[in-house]
Amino acid sequence: MKNTIMDRIVSLQSENDFSGTVLVKERENALIDRSFGYANRAEAINNQSGTRYGIASGCKLFTAIAICKLVEEKKLSFDSKLKDCLDVKFPHFDDNVTVHHLLTHTSGVPDYFDEEVMDDFEELWIKTPMYHIRTLKDFLPLFQNEPMKNPPGESFSYNNSGYILLGLIVEQASGLPFTDYVEEHIFKKAGMVDSGYFSFDSLPERTAWGYIDHSDGTWKTNMYSLPAKGGSDGGAYVTVTDMALLWESLMNHQILSKEMTDRLLTAHVQVKEGSYYGYGIWINKKDETVTKYHVMGYDPGVSFHSAYYPDDSRIVVVCSNKSSGAYKIMAAIEDEWTKVTNH
């Protein structure tokens, strides 16, 4: 099976010019650990297992874990109201928005990147230069004074602003900058020594640039396409090995208690048939049985998919420093598994 999966990955890579790293783990064993393309095209530096990749919204899970840790410490609750958690004025927000609503994308608060209105993430930085966005408070002017999209609890609507608010709640409840809190209380605890929230203008060694390819064959980096520093809605950097450690630490209750881990992994809201959302995590079910926990992220120059399969404790991490490619690799791996299972 290992060889057939590898053959599919190599075939897809040649078809789509996939750039990134693929890790497939089965318990302690790495079945596949393969890298393609360049972390730095200008210098022809290859991607490798130790390359740090941006994972965009894939790190909403880290934000949800941070909130769960603070709930464990009785510093807030899932029923806490936003208005009671933050010393910030939101003139048009519903007073009944809770932490639970924010975690499950059911808050109804306005999203600073509304995919129903905007096609291109780069449109955001025309009026607000991306190099000014370095802290969570820097995002507030983008949505703070906007009207609610719908009443809290009414429906699921993927929402980046909600996770910015959760990050601000982490800061106020813990007294630490959000990124410091996650690095200290989650990354360190999981042994994720190479991961972090890095600024574009001071990236550490072995960090992949994100690349945006144009139809005429030219390209550019994503340096002017994203906030200067990521935060609670996206923008952390991880290695594939570190991401696997996160899954293992979470599932072995090394980061949160079993009770709190179960709460995080509960299918709190149904998104569509077979697809649910927990706290910062997507959940697939078949006949009421969970088949997959997964996270994903897309930004200009970033595509990321990672999953944990509870049936056999398999872990897949696909990091790419291009705007697309990770999903096809992930789907191919799952397809090969299905063939073997149904054989």
Side-chain angles (χ1 to χ4, degrees):
M1 182 176 70
K2 176 181 173 180
N3 290 338
T4 55
I5 292 175
M6 197 66 248
D7 290 345
R8 282 286 296 276
I9 292 171
V10 170
S11 173
L12 273 173
Q13 193 279 328
S14 58
E15 285 171 28
N16 302 290
D17 195 26
F18 172 78
S19 176
T21 299
V22 183
L23 176 68
V24 180
K25 279 192 83 175
E26 193 170 49
R27 295 184 173 87
E28 298 304 309
N29 303 316
L31 300 180
I32 290 166
D33 185 350
R34 185 75 183 267
S35 300
F36 305 90
Y38 294 118
N40 184 322
R41 292 183 184 179
E43 303 294 334
I45 298 170
N46 291 318
N47 282 320
Q48 52 171 299
S49 288
T51 299
R52 311 173 211 241
Y53 294 93
I55 62 170
S57 287
C59 61
K60 283 186 170 70
L61 175 58
F62 309 153
T63 305
I65 292 171
I67 290 286
C68 287
K69 286 187 79 67
L70 291 165
V71 172
E72 272 190 334
E73 294 167 11
K74 306 280 194 291
K75 292 186 176 173
L76 54 105
S77 82
F78 297 118
D79 296 323
S80 295
K81 293 197 163 55
L82 171 63
K83 66 183 178 66
D84 299 325
C85 293
L86 285 185
D87 299 329
V88 179
K89 297 287 184 230
F90 300 101
H92 308 298
F93 284 18
D94 192 306
D95 283 346
N96 294 311
V97 172
T98 65
V99 169
H100 173 84
H101 290 138
L102 296 169
L103 285 165
T104 55
H105 300 288
T106 59
S107 67
V109 301
D111 196 2
Y112 76 84
F113 178 56
D114 191 338
E115 294 173 33
E116 293 172 13
V117 179
M118 285 184 243
D119 293 324
D120 188 353
F121 199 61
E122 293 184 27
E123 290 177 40
L124 284 169
W125 319 125
I126 295 169
K127 290 182 180 176
T128 309
M130 44 66 62
Y131 49 82
H132 287 318
I133 308 292
R134 292 180 183 270
T135 70
L136 298 182
K137 284 182 177 165
D138 295 335
F139 284 91
L140 286 173
L142 299 175
F143 67 92
Q144 182 177 5
N145 297 305
E146 297 300 314
M148 293 282 288
K149 289 183 73 174
N150 48 260
E154 183 178 89
S155 61
F156 176 93
S157 180
Y158 194 81
N159 192 307
N160 292 291
S161 294
Y163 270 71
I164 292 292
L165 294 171
L166 288 168
L168 287 165
I169 290 170
V170 169
E171 291 189 337
Q172 187 157 318
S174 70
L176 289 173
F178 171 79
T179 54
D180 289 1
Y181 184 89
V182 172
E183 288 170 2
E184 184 64 33
H185 294 278
I186 300 174
F187 292 174
K188 268 193 184 176
K189 209 158 188 179
M192 300 166 67
V193 296
D194 289 320
S195 300
Y197 293 82
F198 311 131
S199 299
F200 264 137
D201 46 9
S202 57
L203 293 175
E205 62 179 1
R206 292 184 286 106
T207 304
W209 277 108
Y211 289 99
I212 300 162
D213 290 311
H214 302 304
S215 55
D216 63 359
T218 60
W219 52 264
K220 66 177 182 179
T221 73
N222 60 357
M223 184 175 183
Y224 298 116
S225 308
L226 300 171
K229 185 177 181 180
S232 49
D233 68 326
Y237 289 82
V238 304
T239 63
V240 291
T241 306
D242 277 1
M243 192 63 209
L245 285 171
L246 187 280
W247 283 118
E248 290 164 355
S249 301
L250 181 64
M251 296 304 174
N252 292 328
H253 314 125
Q254 292 169 297
I255 302 178
L256 298 168
S257 67
K258 183 183 186 305
E259 180 186 4
M260 194 57 73
T261 303
D262 290 345
R263 180 75 184 252
L264 179 97
L265 300 176
T266 295
H268 292 290
V269 57
Q270 183 166 7
V271 181
K272 58 185 179 182
E273 187 176 352
S275 177
Y276 300 80
Y277 202 80
Y279 286 163
I281 192 166
W282 296 91
I283 301 165
N284 286 16
K285 283 186 177 186
K286 188 176 182 183
D287 302 327
E288 291 307 304
T289 300
V290 174
T291 56
K292 176 167 76 163
Y293 298 105
H294 60 117
V295 291
M296 65 186 94
Y298 290 92
D299 270 339
V302 176
S303 62
F304 167 78
H305 275 260
S306 185
Y308 177 89
Y309 304 84
D311 186 43
D312 51 17
S313 304
R314 280 191 182 129
I315 293 169
V316 177
V317 188
V318 186
C319 293
S320 175
N321 58 330
K322 290 175 63 174
S323 301
S324 64
Y327 172 75
K328 285 186 175 179
I329 298 287
M330 175 71 98
I333 292 167
E334 292 180 345
D335 184 47
E336 290 300 326
W337 281 344
T338 303
K339 286 179 187 174
V340 171
T341 306
N342 296 336
H343 191 56

PDB file of all heavy atoms in Angstrom, residues 94-111:
ATOM      1  N   ASP A  94     -24.766  41.743  18.686  1.00  0.00           N
ATOM      2  CA  ASP A  94     -25.777  41.190  19.585  1.00  0.00           C
ATOM      3  C   ASP A  94     -25.132  40.876  20.938  1.00  0.00           C
ATOM      4  O   ASP A  94     -24.069  40.259  21.006  1.00  0.00           O
ATOM      5  CB  ASP A  94     -26.357  39.910  18.963  1.00  0.00           C
ATOM      6  CG  ASP A  94     -27.613  39.426  19.668  1.00  0.00           C
ATOM      7  OD1 ASP A  94     -27.563  39.238  20.895  1.00  0.00           O
ATOM      8  OD2 ASP A  94     -28.630  39.197  18.978  1.00  0.00           O
ATOM      9  N   ASP A  95     -25.780  41.267  22.017  1.00  0.00           N
ATOM     10  CA  ASP A  95     -25.241  41.044  23.372  1.00  0.00           C
ATOM     11  C   ASP A  95     -25.186  39.571  23.752  1.00  0.00           C
ATOM     12  O   ASP A  95     -24.544  39.203  24.742  1.00  0.00           O
ATOM     13  CB  ASP A  95     -26.083  41.790  24.423  1.00  0.00           C
ATOM     14  CG  ASP A  95     -25.786  43.285  24.444  1.00  0.00           C
ATOM     15  OD1 ASP A  95     -24.767  43.690  23.844  1.00  0.00           O
ATOM     16  OD2 ASP A  95     -26.577  44.035  25.035  1.00  0.00           O
ATOM     17  N   ASN A  96     -25.875  38.717  22.995  1.00  0.00           N
ATOM     18  CA  ASN A  96     -25.957  37.296  23.351  1.00  0.00           C
ATOM     19  C   ASN A  96     -24.905  36.422  22.681  1.00  0.00           C
ATOM     20  O   ASN A  96     -24.946  35.196  22.822  1.00  0.00           O
ATOM     21  CB  ASN A  96     -27.354  36.760  23.026  1.00  0.00           C
ATOM     22  CG  ASN A  96     -28.419  37.392  23.900  1.00  0.00           C
ATOM     23  OD1 ASN A  96     -28.272  37.440  25.126  1.00  0.00           O
ATOM     24  ND2 ASN A  96     -29.474  37.919  23.290  1.00  0.00           N
ATOM     25  N   VAL A  97     -23.969  37.021  21.954  1.00  0.00           N
ATOM     26  CA  VAL A  97     -22.882  36.239  21.341  1.00  0.00           C
ATOM     27  C   VAL A  97     -22.010  35.645  22.444  1.00  0.00           C
ATOM     28  O   VAL A  97     -21.526  36.366  23.324  1.00  0.00           O
ATOM     29  CB  VAL A  97     -22.017  37.117  20.409  1.00  0.00           C
ATOM     30  CG1 VAL A  97     -20.781  36.354  19.945  1.00  0.00           C
ATOM     31  CG2 VAL A  97     -22.828  37.590  19.205  1.00  0.00           C
ATOM     32  N   THR A  98     -21.819  34.318  22.394  1.00  0.00           N
ATOM     33  CA  THR A  98     -21.011  33.630  23.413  1.00  0.00           C
ATOM     34  C   THR A  98     -19.713  33.083  22.821  1.00  0.00           C
ATOM     35  O   THR A  98     -19.534  33.040  21.598  1.00  0.00           O
ATOM     36  CB  THR A  98     -21.786  32.444  24.023  1.00  0.00           C
ATOM     37  OG1 THR A  98     -21.993  31.463  22.983  1.00  0.00           O
ATOM     38  CG2 THR A  98     -23.112  32.876  24.608  1.00  0.00           C
ATOM     39  N   VAL A  99     -18.841  32.630  23.694  1.00  0.00           N
ATOM     40  CA  VAL A  99     -17.592  31.979  23.281  1.00  0.00           C
ATOM     41  C   VAL A  99     -17.907  30.746  22.433  1.00  0.00           C
ATOM     42  O   VAL A  99     -17.262  30.498  21.405  1.00  0.00           O
ATOM     43  CB  VAL A  99     -16.749  31.592  24.526  1.00  0.00           C
ATOM     44  CG1 VAL A  99     -15.582  30.682  24.140  1.00  0.00           C
ATOM     45  CG2 VAL A  99     -16.244  32.843  25.231  1.00  0.00           C
ATOM     46  N   HIS A 100     -18.917  29.975  22.835  1.00  0.00           N
ATOM     47  CA  HIS A 100     -19.327  28.794  22.065  1.00  0.00           C
ATOM     48  C   HIS A 100     -19.728  29.182  20.637  1.00  0.00           C
ATOM     49  O   HIS A 100     -19.346  28.513  19.672  1.00  0.00           O
ATOM     50  CB  HIS A 100     -20.492  28.086  22.760  1.00  0.00           C
ATOM     51  CG  HIS A 100     -21.098  26.961  21.961  1.00  0.00           C
ATOM     52  ND1 HIS A 100     -20.585  25.687  21.957  1.00  0.00           N
ATOM     53  CD2 HIS A 100     -22.169  26.941  21.118  1.00  0.00           C
ATOM     54  CE1 HIS A 100     -21.309  24.920  21.159  1.00  0.00           C
ATOM     55  NE2 HIS A 100     -22.280  25.662  20.645  1.00  0.00           N
ATOM     56  N   HIS A 101     -20.489  30.253  20.495  1.00  0.00           N
ATOM     57  CA  HIS A 101     -20.889  30.720  19.156  1.00  0.00           C
ATOM     58  C   HIS A 101     -19.659  31.042  18.305  1.00  0.00           C
ATOM     59  O   HIS A 101     -19.595  30.689  17.123  1.00  0.00           O
ATOM     60  CB  HIS A 101     -21.761  31.980  19.262  1.00  0.00           C
ATOM     61  CG  HIS A 101     -23.129  31.747  19.818  1.00  0.00           C
ATOM     62  ND1 HIS A 101     -23.709  32.603  20.734  1.00  0.00           N
ATOM     63  CD2 HIS A 101     -24.033  30.759  19.604  1.00  0.00           C
ATOM     64  CE1 HIS A 101     -24.914  32.161  21.045  1.00  0.00           C
ATOM     65  NE2 HIS A 101     -25.133  31.026  20.375  1.00  0.00           N
ATOM     66  N   LEU A 102     -18.699  31.727  18.908  1.00  0.00           N
ATOM     67  CA  LEU A 102     -17.497  32.114  18.164  1.00  0.00           C
ATOM     68  C   LEU A 102     -16.708  30.877  17.730  1.00  0.00           C
ATOM     69  O   LEU A 102     -16.216  30.804  16.596  1.00  0.00           O
ATOM     70  CB  LEU A 102     -16.613  33.028  19.023  1.00  0.00           C
ATOM     71  CG  LEU A 102     -17.217  34.391  19.398  1.00  0.00           C
ATOM     72  CD1 LEU A 102     -16.360  35.077  20.459  1.00  0.00           C
ATOM     73  CD2 LEU A 102     -17.357  35.292  18.167  1.00  0.00           C
ATOM     74  N   LEU A 103     -16.582  29.909  18.621  1.00  0.00           N
ATOM     75  CA  LEU A 103     -15.815  28.687  18.325  1.00  0.00           C
ATOM     76  C   LEU A 103     -16.434  27.882  17.192  1.00  0.00           C
ATOM     77  O   LEU A 103     -15.731  27.228  16.422  1.00  0.00           O
ATOM     78  CB  LEU A 103     -15.723  27.804  19.575  1.00  0.00           C
ATOM     79  CG  LEU A 103     -14.750  28.257  20.670  1.00  0.00           C
ATOM     80  CD1 LEU A 103     -15.035  27.509  21.967  1.00  0.00           C
ATOM     81  CD2 LEU A 103     -13.303  28.031  20.233  1.00  0.00           C
ATOM     82  N   THR A 104     -17.766  27.910  17.098  1.00  0.00           N
ATOM     83  CA  THR A 104     -18.471  27.059  16.128  1.00  0.00           C
ATOM     84  C   THR A 104     -18.933  27.806  14.877  1.00  0.00           C
ATOM     85  O   THR A 104     -19.691  27.266  14.076  1.00  0.00           O
ATOM     86  CB  THR A 104     -19.703  26.414  16.796  1.00  0.00           C
ATOM     87  OG1 THR A 104     -20.531  27.458  17.362  1.00  0.00           O
ATOM     88  CG2 THR A 104     -19.293  25.442  17.889  1.00  0.00           C
ATOM     89  N   HIS A 105     -18.460  29.032  14.679  1.00  0.00           N
ATOM     90  CA  HIS A 105     -18.838  29.832  13.506  1.00  0.00           C
ATOM     91  C   HIS A 105     -20.344  30.042  13.427  1.00  0.00           C
ATOM     92  O   HIS A 105     -20.930  30.067  12.332  1.00  0.00           O
ATOM     93  CB  HIS A 105     -18.336  29.183  12.211  1.00  0.00           C
ATOM     94  CG  HIS A 105     -16.856  29.017  12.129  1.00  0.00           C
ATOM     95  ND1 HIS A 105     -15.989  30.068  11.939  1.00  0.00           N
ATOM     96  CD2 HIS A 105     -16.081  27.906  12.215  1.00  0.00           C
ATOM     97  CE1 HIS A 105     -14.742  29.608  11.911  1.00  0.00           C
ATOM     98  NE2 HIS A 105     -14.782  28.303  12.082  1.00  0.00           N
ATOM     99  N   THR A 106     -21.005  30.168  14.585  1.00  0.00           N
ATOM    100  CA  THR A 106     -22.453  30.409  14.606  1.00  0.00           C
ATOM    101  C   THR A 106     -22.786  31.740  15.288  1.00  0.00           C
ATOM    102  O   THR A 106     -23.918  31.956  15.694  1.00  0.00           O
ATOM    103  CB  THR A 106     -23.188  29.259  15.333  1.00  0.00           C
ATOM    104  OG1 THR A 106     -22.688  29.142  16.680  1.00  0.00           O
ATOM    105  CG2 THR A 106     -23.000  27.931  14.612  1.00  0.00           C
ATOM    106  N   SER A 107     -21.795  32.613  15.408  1.00  0.00           N
ATOM    107  CA  SER A 107     -21.994  33.866  16.156  1.00  0.00           C
ATOM    108  C   SER A 107     -22.796  34.900  15.383  1.00  0.00           C
ATOM    109  O   SER A 107     -23.471  35.742  15.966  1.00  0.00           O
ATOM    110  CB  SER A 107     -20.645  34.480  16.537  1.00  0.00           C
ATOM    111  OG  SER A 107     -19.954  34.917  15.370  1.00  0.00           O
ATOM    112  N   GLY A 108     -22.691  34.875  14.051  1.00  0.00           N
ATOM    113  CA  GLY A 108     -23.368  35.884  13.239  1.00  0.00           C
ATOM    114  C   GLY A 108     -22.660  37.220  13.177  1.00  0.00           C
ATOM    115  O   GLY A 108     -23.172  38.174  12.580  1.00  0.00           O
ATOM    116  N   VAL A 109     -21.456  37.326  13.798  1.00  0.00           N
ATOM    117  CA  VAL A 109     -20.738  38.606  13.741  1.00  0.00           C
ATOM    118  C   VAL A 109     -20.218  38.832  12.320  1.00  0.00           C
ATOM    119  O   VAL A 109     -20.022  37.884  11.563  1.00  0.00           O
ATOM    120  CB  VAL A 109     -19.569  38.661  14.757  1.00  0.00           C
ATOM    121  CG1 VAL A 109     -20.072  38.466  16.178  1.00  0.00           C
ATOM    122  CG2 VAL A 109     -18.474  37.652  14.422  1.00  0.00           C
ATOM    123  N   PRO A 110     -19.999  40.086  11.932  1.00  0.00           N
ATOM    124  CA  PRO A 110     -19.509  40.364  10.579  1.00  0.00           C
ATOM    125  C   PRO A 110     -18.095  39.828  10.377  1.00  0.00           C
ATOM    126  O   PRO A 110     -17.271  39.904  11.285  1.00  0.00           O
ATOM    127  CB  PRO A 110     -19.535  41.891  10.495  1.00  0.00           C
ATOM    128  CG  PRO A 110     -19.450  42.353  11.923  1.00  0.00           C
ATOM    129  CD  PRO A 110     -20.176  41.321  12.725  1.00  0.00           C
ATOM    130  N   ASP A 111     -17.829  39.285   9.202  1.00  0.00           N
ATOM    131  CA  ASP A 111     -16.513  38.732   8.910  1.00  0.00           C
ATOM    132  C   ASP A 111     -15.685  39.750   8.143  1.00  0.00           C
ATOM    133  O   ASP A 111     -16.162  40.322   7.156  1.00  0.00           O
ATOM    134  CB  ASP A 111     -16.653  37.452   8.085  1.00  0.00           C
ATOM    135  CG  ASP A 111     -15.384  36.619   8.077  1.00  0.00           C
ATOM    136  OD1 ASP A 111     -14.415  37.023   8.743  1.00  0.00           O
ATOM    137  OD2 ASP A 111     -15.343  35.578   7.411  1.00  0.00           O
TER     138      ASP A 111
END
